[in-house]
């Protein structure tokens, strides 16, 4: 799971980086293109503009030449050479000419502003051209006369209609250099005026060679372009545009034909700066992007951490027991099946419980109680092997999932665990012990958690009941019992309505007279498939589910009905003892309900005896006392059942006003042979008599027992020796006719 998500993360990262790299490359290229397109447009525009400016400058100089020619024609007599020479000198000086002069048609000497030795045949050529073309501009002359690089502009001179000569002005080519600087575009850009054969006429700044075709012979042109093509374009007077690489620099060249001579204006621009600029823009963008990416990454990380943290917290509250820090019940129930599977489907589900933990809490306080639970959790956890788990399910209840071994080993292991808990959690300043009990369910097939838990719980309940063995394993017979109990629960209500519960009466005899003196009502369940079922099989269940409250009242009513019947049949009415569960003690309606039933048949209250078991009374003596008092007030008599089966003491007998005490049948076992047991019985009888109650001996099975009990001074006897519990029809035969009312 973790590995997978790591791989996914890595893949995403790689994808992002690849995407980013691709994006940057594309962006870089795109910016380069964009910039270059921009630069090309600029160069073209600047080239065209420069061409125009250059041509305009030539034109205006031509007009200047024309103006000077007209001035010469109208104001200066040809013969006054001195005056003319002076005029020319001043014109040359103020207009920045290299030189200027007049070539007369008559062949006389040329008049110049500055002295020079302009060749004779040149003079002739200029004169002829002026007469033919009127005005013109020549190509560059390098060193003509004393002059530097110059263009010559000439105009013809006339006297009236007659041509008389030509005015020639030598313009230094430098005059035009500044127009060709192109510096506004880029530092290294340059424009030059060339002739069709590539010779540079004038340039923005000094150039490497004087012929661009010669220079470009070493250039490497872009694919699809060549020097020849460029030469052809220029030859044809076409606008041209090429890119090439020279001296380690990329450049572009834009050429446009000029309307003067066969001139051509070329603009050359190095383009590396475009790349550099594109790079710079791309880098800045990349940096910005990286920064943003980093920022988002940081944000993502923060959110991730926050989520991980809150998930952890959530997990803690959802799955961790706050007190002990181990898993809580939720965690176990959710992951149970996976965990069992991790143990290869075979596991032992153990419920651990601390005996009488409530007493520890009550006596030592909750803080100490909590501490003990923490210690117990630590100890139990330390016993776990890999793949085994523990959780706290409720207060002092821990659920352990152990790997399954044979029962003997498992029991030995749990015994050692319990001993460790006893030792580690020992309470030094009190006699209280931390004693654990365990219910174990051996899981050999896949089962839902709640079922496995139910079974371990059942085993735990057995362990709590068992005084000797505090580790109990769940057995199939337990399950069988549960199934049967379910069945009983499902049918009990209907059984009550159908009259399937019947009543047996077991007679009680007076030891002194031997007469039958009363009976105990004992319930039976008449089940279609099983016949009469004894109460031990269903009373404990009814006490757990509360149905006993209804059943006891039903039995009381049956008993009262018998009494009413005997009276109407003119028979003797003997008291009937009815068993009442301890549950009635907590029910405030108990006595009123009872009274109502008995009164409904007009039966005297003293004929009903209430049997309460010894354990009921011990558990809550005050409540028992108030209930007994209430019953006495109504005239019912009260018997303590099963005396001697528990821990009754003389004190209890004294404080509670029982009318009779029934000695438990266990009391009698062995008293025939054992002299100590005889002493115990005789002591008990004496004790009971001392508090003024009658002694009833229960479970008398033999003549010997009967004789012994009579000897001990018991008042009444009940047991198989005298009679088993019998149906009412049979019992009725034991009754004498009612004695006539006393006078
Ligand atoms: P218990 O109140 O101690 O009733 C006496 C039990 O001892 C009866 O068992 C009776 O049949 C049996 N017994 C009588 N003489 C002898 C004898 O000589 N030897 C032996 N071994 N046993 C003898 P039973 O009828 O099975 O009742 C069992 C228990 O069920 C009763 O014990 C009583 O606690 C409870 N019980 C019975 N009926 C009711 C009822 O209507 N309501 C309530 N709440 N409990 C009832
Ligand atoms: Ca009884
Ligand atoms: Ca009894």
């Amino acid at each position: 799971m973790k590995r997978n998500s790591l791989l996914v993360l890595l893949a995403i990262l790689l994808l992002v980086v690849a995407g980013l790299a691709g994006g940057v490359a594309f962006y870089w290229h795109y910016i380069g293109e964009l910039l270059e397109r921009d630069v090309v447009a600029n160069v073209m525009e600047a080239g065209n503009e420069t061409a125009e400016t250059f041509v305009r400058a030539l034109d205006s100089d031509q007009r200047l030449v024309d103006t000077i020619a007209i001035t010469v024609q109208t104001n200066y007599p040809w013969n006054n050479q001195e005056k003319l020479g002076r005029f020319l000198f001043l014109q040359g000086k103020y207009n920045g000419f290299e030189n200027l002069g007049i070539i007369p048609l008559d062949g006389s000497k040329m008049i110049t502003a500055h002295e020079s030795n302009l060749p004779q045949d040149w003079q002739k050529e200029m004169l002829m051209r002026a007469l033919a073309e009127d005005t013109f501009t020549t190509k560059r002359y390098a060193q003509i006369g004393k002059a530097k690089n110059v263009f010559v502009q000439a105009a013809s001179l006339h006297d009236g209609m007659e041509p008389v000569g030509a005015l020639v002005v030598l313009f230094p080519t430098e005059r035009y250099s500044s127009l060709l600087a192109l510096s506004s575009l880029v530092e290294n850009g340059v424009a030059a005026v060339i002739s069709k054969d590539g010779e540079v006429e004038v340039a923005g700044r000094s150039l490497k060679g004087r012929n661009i075709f010669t220079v470009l012979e070493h250039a490497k042109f872009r694919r699809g372009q060549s020097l020849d093509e460029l030469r052809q374009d220029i030859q044809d007077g076409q606008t041209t545009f090429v890119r090439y690489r020279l001296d380690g620099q990329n450049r572009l060249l834009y050429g446009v034909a000029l309307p003067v001579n066969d001139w051509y204006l070329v603009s050359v621009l190095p383009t590396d700066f475009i790349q550099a600029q594109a790079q710079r823009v791309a880098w800045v963008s990349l940096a910005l992007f990286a920064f943003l990416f980093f920022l988002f990454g940081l944000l993502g990380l923060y959110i991730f951490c926050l989520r991980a943290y809150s998930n952890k917290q959530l997990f803690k509250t959802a799955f961790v027991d706050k007190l002990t820090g181990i898993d809580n019940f939720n965690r176990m129930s959710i992951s149970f099946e996976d965990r069992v599977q991790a143990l290869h489907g075979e596991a032992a589900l153990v419920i651990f419980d601390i005996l009488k933990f409530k007493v520890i809490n009550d006596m030592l306080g909750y803080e100490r109680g909590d501490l003990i639970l923490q210690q117990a959790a630590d100890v139990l956890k330390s016993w776990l092997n890999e793949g085994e788990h523990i959780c706290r399910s409720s207060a002092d209840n821990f659920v352990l999932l152990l790997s399954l071994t044979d029962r003997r080993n498992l029991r030995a292991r749990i015994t050692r665990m319990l001993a460790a808990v006893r030792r580690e959690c020992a309470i030094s300043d009190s006699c209280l012990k931390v004693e654990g009990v365990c219910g174990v369910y051996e899981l050999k097939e896949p089962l839902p958690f709640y079922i496995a838990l139910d079974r371990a719980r059942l085993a735990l309940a057995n362990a709590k009941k068992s005084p000797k063995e505090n580790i109990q394993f769940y057995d199939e017979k337990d399950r069988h019992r549960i199934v049967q109990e379910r069945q009983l629960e499902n049918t009990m209500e209907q059984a009550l309505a159908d009259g399937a519960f019947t009543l047996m009466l077991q007679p009680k005899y007076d030891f002194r007279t031997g007469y039958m003196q009363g009976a105990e009502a004992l319930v039976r369940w008449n089940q279609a498939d099983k016949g009469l079922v004894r109460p031990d099989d269903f009373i404990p269940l009814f006490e757990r589910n509360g149905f006993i409250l209804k059943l006891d009242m039903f039995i009381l009513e049956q008993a009262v009905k018998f009494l009413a019947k005997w009276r109407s049949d003119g028979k003797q009415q003997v008291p009937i003892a009815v068993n009442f569960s301890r549950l009635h003690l907590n029910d405030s309606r108990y006595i009123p309900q009872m009274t109502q039933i008995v009164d409904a048949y007009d039966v005297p209250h003293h004929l009903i005896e209430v049997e309460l078991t010894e354990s009921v009374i011990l558990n809550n003596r005050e409540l028992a006392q108030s209930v007994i008092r209430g019953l006495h007030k109504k005239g019912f008599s009260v018997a303590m059942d099963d005396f001697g089966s528990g821990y009754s003491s003389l004190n209890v007998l004294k404080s509670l006003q029982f009318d009779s005490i029934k000695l438990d049948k266990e009391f009698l076992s062995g008293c025939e042979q054992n002299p100590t047991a005889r002493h115990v019985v005789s002591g008990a009888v004496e004790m009971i008599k001392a508090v003024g109650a009658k002694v009833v001996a229960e479970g008398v099975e033999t003549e010997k027992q009967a004789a012994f009990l009579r000897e001990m001074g018991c008042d009444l006897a009940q047991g198989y020796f005298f009679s088993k519990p019998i149906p009412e029809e049979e019992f009725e035969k034991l009754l004498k006719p009612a004695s006539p009312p006393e006078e």
Side-chain angles (χ1 to χ4, degrees):
M1 182 70 187
K2 260 187 185 164
R3 243 181 78 106
N4 273 355
S5 55
L6 208 78
L7 277 175
V8 167
L9 202 79
L10 216 80
I12 289 176
L13 214 77
L14 244 114
L15 231 80
V16 166
V17 168
L20 216 69
V24 167
F26 174 79
Y27 187 61
W28 193 316
H29 181 77
Y30 176 73
I31 296 260
E33 291 260 285
L34 216 69
L35 279 174
E36 196 171 296
R37 218 177 300 161
D38 207 37
V39 167
V40 167
N42 268 336
V43 167
M44 286 180 171
E45 197 184 305
N48 293 340
E49 234 167 60
T50 306
E52 250 174 61
T53 314
F54 178 75
V55 170
R56 214 179 299 128
L58 280 184
D59 269 359
S60 101
D61 283 346
Q62 184 70 59
R63 266 195 300 282
L64 187 60
V65 171
D66 285 344
T67 313
I68 294 170
I70 289 166
T71 311
V72 168
Q73 277 173 174
T74 47
N75 293 334
Y76 294 95
W78 287 108
N79 47 10
N80 195 342
Q81 290 215 354
E82 197 186 324
K83 208 175 170 186
L84 210 52
R86 188 159 178 74
F87 170 74
L88 291 178
F89 174 77
L90 288 175
Q91 285 296 329
K93 189 178 172 190
Y94 293 127
N95 290 314
F97 301 148
E98 175 69 18
N99 204 350
L100 76 166
I102 293 168
I103 308 167
L105 185 63
D106 58 8
S108 55
K109 191 173 175 258
M110 182 180 178
I111 307 155
T112 54
H114 308 287
E115 209 177 305
S116 72
N117 46 357
L118 294 160
Q120 277 297 318
D121 47 347
W122 178 81
Q123 288 185 26
K124 204 162 186 176
E125 186 196 330
M126 290 299 115
L127 184 63
M128 292 333 256
R129 247 187 102 174
L131 295 178
E133 292 174 46
D134 205 16
T135 60
F136 64 90
T137 304
T138 67
K139 292 195 187 175
R140 172 178 58 88
Y141 285 103
Q143 275 127 37
I144 183 154
K146 284 179 188 160
K148 353 175 175 171
N149 283 340
V150 290
F151 294 133
V152 177
Q153 299 221 37
S156 57
L157 291 170
H158 294 84
D159 184 10
M161 289 304 279
E162 278 301 300
V164 289
L167 173 72
V168 288
V169 181
L170 279 63
F171 290 90
T173 54
E174 283 162 17
R175 185 183 177 93
Y176 305 99
S177 289
S178 63
L179 301 178
L180 305 174
L182 269 193
S183 62
S184 65
L185 207 59
V186 67
E187 224 175 302
N188 294 330
V190 68
V193 175
I194 59 167
S195 57
K196 281 192 171 165
D197 51 11
E199 284 297 306
V200 175
E201 299 294 323
V202 57
R205 55 185 164 76
S206 64
L207 287 180
K208 196 177 156 199
R210 293 257 41 128
N211 188 302
I212 70 156
F213 294 144
T214 323
V215 173
L216 288 182
E217 263 164 23
H218 306 289
K220 191 171 178 306
F221 283 80
R222 267 264 176 104
R223 198 186 304 179
Q225 298 182 330
S226 68
L227 181 57
D228 287 339
E229 220 167 293
L230 175 69
R231 204 180 301 216
Q232 192 59 53
D233 277 352
I234 290 176
Q235 206 72 87
D236 298 347
Q238 299 260 353
T239 300
T240 184
F241 180 77
V242 290
R243 287 179 225 210
Y244 58 90
R245 190 169 175 79
L246 185 65
D247 297 339
Q249 271 198 324
N250 291 309
R251 295 166 210 251
L252 56 84
L253 180 151
Y254 174 67
V256 58
L258 294 176
V260 185
N261 301 328
D262 57 350
W263 284 352
Y264 217 83
L265 185 97
V266 290
S267 311
V268 177
L269 202 70
T271 55
D272 286 338
F273 82 98
I274 299 173
Q275 243 58 44
Q277 212 156 308
Q279 251 174 49
R280 226 176 2 252
V281 170
W283 277 122
V284 166
S285 315
L286 184 68
L288 204 76
F289 192 80
F291 177 70
L292 281 178
F293 188 71
F294 176 73
L295 222 66
F296 274 109
L298 224 63
L299 197 76
L301 198 76
Y302 176 70
I303 290 170
F304 179 79
C305 287
L306 209 70
R307 271 193 50 177
Y309 176 75
S310 65
N311 275 352
K312 210 168 147 187
Q313 289 305 104
L314 220 69
F315 180 86
K316 263 193 170 173
T317 46
F319 294 128
V320 176
D321 176 52
K322 255 200 206 124
L323 180 67
T324 58
I326 60 174
D327 288 357
N328 64 11
F329 186 73
N330 264 352
R331 181 94 200 275
M332 181 67 96
S333 69
I334 286 172
S335 55
F336 177 74
E337 273 160 44
D338 291 340
R339 288 172 170 183
V340 170
Q341 217 158 47
L343 292 171
H344 311 293
E346 295 203 333
L349 191 70
V350 181
I351 305 188
F352 168 94
D353 194 276
I354 296 175
L355 273 179
K356 303 208 173 101
F357 185 69
K358 192 180 163 327
V359 178
I360 294 176
N361 258 345
D362 287 348
M363 292 186 64
L364 303 178
Y366 281 89
E367 254 171 55
R368 288 282 294 278
D370 284 353
L371 201 73
I372 288 167
L373 289 178
Q374 285 165 355
Q375 285 174 327
D378 286 346
V379 172
L380 291 173
K381 203 177 160 189
S382 74
W383 275 84
L384 298 186
N385 297 324
E386 205 181 317
E388 298 184 329
H389 298 275
I390 181 172
C391 81
R392 188 165 81 113
S393 62
S394 62
D396 60 331
N397 224 258
F398 294 86
V399 176
L400 294 96
L401 190 69
L402 305 180
S403 51
L404 191 65
T405 53
D406 64 81
R407 197 174 271 199
R408 213 165 57 89
N409 281 328
L410 192 56
R411 189 187 289 278
R413 185 178 173 205
I414 298 171
T415 305
R416 285 197 297 274
M417 287 165 98
L418 292 182
V421 170
R422 196 181 307 126
R423 198 173 52 241
E424 303 290 328
C425 306
I427 304 161
S428 54
D429 54 349
S430 157
C431 58
L432 291 172
K433 276 187 185 154
V434 179
E435 191 64 59
V437 276
C438 288
V440 186
Y441 176 64
E442 294 148 301
L443 200 77
K444 289 169 184 160
E445 55 185 354
L447 263 184
F449 181 51
Y450 73 96
I451 292 181
L453 195 70
D454 233 34
R455 296 182 177 182
R457 275 218 178 104
L458 192 79
L460 178 71
N462 290 340
K464 281 183 172 174
K465 270 188 255 164
S466 157
K468 291 191 201 94
E469 188 49 79
N470 50 2
I471 301 166
Q472 291 284 341
F473 286 73
Y474 170 88
D475 279 310
E476 263 317 290
K477 65 177 193 297
D478 292 322
R479 198 170 80 97
H480 187 68
R481 213 188 70 219
I482 289 182
V483 171
Q484 278 196 322
E485 283 189 353
R486 289 274 145 75
Q487 229 167 358
L488 294 185
E489 277 192 312
N490 289 342
T491 52
M492 61 190 187
E493 293 277 2
Q494 195 57 46
L496 186 65
D498 295 349
F501 290 102
T502 58
L503 197 157
M504 295 288 219
L505 293 169
Q506 188 174 32
K508 290 190 277 188
Y509 289 87
D510 189 321
F511 269 122
R512 264 184 316 118
T513 61
Y515 288 137
M516 202 271 289
Q517 276 297 328
E520 178 178 3
L522 295 162
V523 71
R524 298 287 179 269
W525 187 347
N526 197 353
Q527 285 179 0
D529 46 344
K530 291 184 197 136
L532 286 184
V533 178
R534 304 275 299 243
D536 287 339
D537 291 344
F538 54 85
I539 297 280
L541 171 68
F542 291 174
E543 291 209 306
R544 268 181 275 133
N545 66 22
F547 186 64
I548 194 69
L549 294 174
K550 267 192 192 172
L551 185 65
D552 282 350
M553 289 302 170
F554 173 78
I555 296 298
L556 171 70
E557 189 167 4
Q558 296 306 106
V560 173
K561 273 185 187 169
F562 289 161
L563 282 165
K565 184 173 163 250
W566 299 336
R567 182 184 57 207
S568 63
D569 288 354
K571 295 257 168 82
Q572 175 195 14
Q573 281 181 304
V574 290
I576 300 182
V578 179
N579 294 284
F580 281 98
S581 160
R582 61 192 165 87
L583 290 191
H584 294 286
L585 267 62
N586 292 309
D587 187 357
S588 58
R589 292 164 306 176
Y590 169 50
I591 299 174
Q593 217 172 351
M594 210 184 133
T595 313
Q596 194 191 355
I597 290 170
V598 179
D599 289 349
Y601 296 89
D602 210 15
V603 168
H605 291 185
H606 73 270
L607 289 177
I608 296 297
E609 188 170 30
V610 173
E611 284 195 14
L612 297 171
T613 60
E614 180 200 63
S615 59
V616 171
I617 294 141
L618 281 179
N619 279 346
N620 195 340
R621 206 187 300 176
E622 273 145 49
L623 183 66
Q625 199 158 18
S626 85
V627 171
I628 292 168
R629 242 183 246 138
L631 288 167
H632 277 159
K633 235 187 236 171
K634 291 286 178 189
F636 300 113
S637 49
V638 185
M640 179 199 261
D641 204 355
D642 302 340
F643 178 78
S645 63
Y647 313 89
S648 314
S649 70
L650 188 62
N651 281 343
V652 180
L653 289 181
K654 252 198 235 165
S655 60
L656 301 168
Q657 305 283 304
F658 285 106
D659 301 286
S660 54
I661 307 289
K662 298 182 83 174
L663 294 184
D664 193 71
K665 31 187 184 291
E666 292 298 312
F667 233 91
L668 291 178
S669 57
C671 69
E672 285 146 284
Q673 289 91 26
N674 192 340
T676 340
R678 293 171 77 102
H679 279 120
V680 173
V681 176
S682 76
V685 172
E686 219 169 284
M687 204 164 76
I688 295 164
K689 295 219 149 198
V691 297
K694 279 186 184 164
V695 184
V696 183
E698 253 191 314
V700 185
E701 289 179 339
T702 62
E703 194 175 359
K704 256 188 170 178
Q705 286 175 340
F708 165 71
L709 290 164
R710 184 184 296 120
E711 196 185 309
M712 289 295 114
C714 285
D715 300 299
L716 295 170
Q718 180 184 345
Y720 294 169
F721 176 67
F722 299 99
S723 169
K724 289 202 164 189
I726 47 176
E728 191 269 338
E729 306 88 68
E730 233 172 281
F731 185 82
E732 213 183 304
K733 292 175 193 158
L734 302 176
L735 296 172
K736 291 186 278 182
S739 47
E742 280 170 32
E743 311 262 317

